[in-house]
Amino acid sequence: MPSTDPHSVSETPAAPDRGPADRDPSAVPGAVAPRADCVECGRPTEYPAARPGIVRCPVCEWQEAQRTACSG
């Protein structure tokens, strides 16, 4: 009877490791990680594409700070 343990070793071989670029593009010297697009205007931001949450370009960040600033 076949094993039902989900942690058992698979019968198919794993894909070969092709190098650090396959794991993390920023691990390669000189590589530039893709940048996230601003949610307001669509311009590239200074944040990596993998960053979670809302990302804005510097101009839209400044404008949002102006809109939400206390006017007291």
Side-chain angles (χ1 to χ4, degrees), residues 19-34 50:
D22 290 338
R23 292 187 299 273
D24 183 9
S26 62
V28 177
V32 178

Side-chain angles (χ1 to χ4, degrees), residues 4 11-12 17-18 23 25 35-36 39 42 45 49 51 56 59 67 71:
T4 58
E11 292 180 18
T12 58
D17 186 19
R18 294 188 185 108
R23 292 187 299 273
R35 298 292 174 190
V39 297
T45 66
R51 180 184 171 124
R56 293 183 176 94
V59 173
R67 283 192 292 267
S71 60

Side-chain angles (χ1 to χ4, degrees), residues 24-65:
D24 183 9
S26 62
V28 177
V32 178
R35 298 292 174 190
D37 291 334
C38 177
V39 297
E40 302 278 335
C41 66
R43 293 184 186 135
T45 66
E46 56 193 28
Y47 303 109
R51 180 184 171 124
I54 296 173
V55 292
R56 293 183 176 94
C57 69
V59 173
C60 291
E61 278 187 10
W62 182 81
Q63 290 173 344
E64 180 66 16

